[in-house]
Amino acid sequence: MTDQLRQAEERDHLRIVAAIESWWTDSRAPAAARELSLLVPRLFLQHFSGTSFVAEQDGRMVGFLVGFLSFDHPAEAYIHFVGVDPALRGRGLARQLYTAFFDVASRAGRSRVHCITSPANTGSIGFHRRMGFQLVPGDAEIDGVPVHQNYDGRGHDRVCFVREIPPVSGS
């Protein structure tokens, strides 16, 4: 699928922000997509580039994953933000990005990966379930999906996921 899947670098930050502002306009207004891009500040690529990835095709960024290893929970890792060019969705690129992250987390001795999404993002919910993530019980339910109300502040409900991965110590 990709010409190259590589570790992210700080210099990728502006391309990732631009991608979020562009790729998410298929599901929200441009101003809302710009606001969404604020969820990926430069510090993620300054401090977590070793667990974040960029996918390129013909020299163009076509996907990215920003994730990190939990400092407070040594068995856990977290996928913070993932994006795939809408023209290339459904071709396995997100799966490649997740697999690369699972590999890094596993080699670091992690056995669980967490992530969240919005209850309205049914595509993301379906993808995570197909990737083997389990839904974490919440305090409410929407269309049969457990939801954590006010997870990210008042009115910002989230669906929480967890997936077990086999840790590989050493590397």
Side-chain angles (χ1 to χ4, degrees):
M1 165 66 228
T2 63
D3 290 342
Q4 182 181 15
L5 184 64
R6 62 171 174 79
Q7 185 176 315
E9 299 174 1
E10 184 178 349
R11 66 181 172 86
D12 294 314
H13 179 254
L14 290 179
R15 290 194 318 158
I16 290 171
V17 167
I20 294 169
E21 292 176 356
S22 171
W23 297 347
W24 270 264
T25 56
D26 65 343
S27 62
R28 60 195 63 195
R34 273 191 304 280
E35 185 176 321
L36 189 64
S37 74
L38 297 174
L39 292 175
V40 184
R42 181 176 296 274
L43 72 89
F44 276 96
L45 298 176
Q46 290 172 328
H47 297 280
F48 305 115
S49 64
T51 52
S52 299
F53 300 92
V54 168
E56 295 177 321
Q57 189 173 56
D58 299 323
R60 183 177 70 89
M61 186 178 73
V62 295
F64 66 90
L65 180 148
V66 176
F68 57 89
L69 305 176
S70 174
F71 181 79
D72 291 339
H73 305 281
E76 299 181 357
Y78 187 82
I79 295 174
H80 175 67
F81 209 106
V82 180
V84 171
D85 182 330
L88 299 175
R89 290 181 186 157
R91 298 183 186 180
L93 180 52
R95 181 175 292 277
Q96 287 180 324
L97 289 161
Y98 274 65
T99 299
F101 182 80
F102 295 156
D103 182 56
V104 167
S106 180
R107 284 189 283 115
R110 307 308 166 112
S111 58
R112 275 184 304 286
V113 175
H114 294 267
C115 56
I116 63 171
T117 196
S118 163
N121 195 339
T122 56
S124 177
I125 293 167
F127 170 78
H128 285 93
R129 290 175 113 172
R130 288 188 303 277
M131 287 293 297
F133 282 88
Q134 302 299 311
L135 295 161
V136 176
D139 54 7
E141 200 172 282
I142 298 176
D143 296 328
V145 175
V147 173
H148 297 252
Q149 295 179 315
N150 302 314
Y151 182 90
D152 277 330
R154 186 176 303 135
H156 297 281
D157 303 343
R158 298 291 179 256
V159 176
C160 299
F161 300 96
V162 64
R163 177 181 161 160
E164 300 293 324
I165 60 171
V168 178
S169 300
S171 301

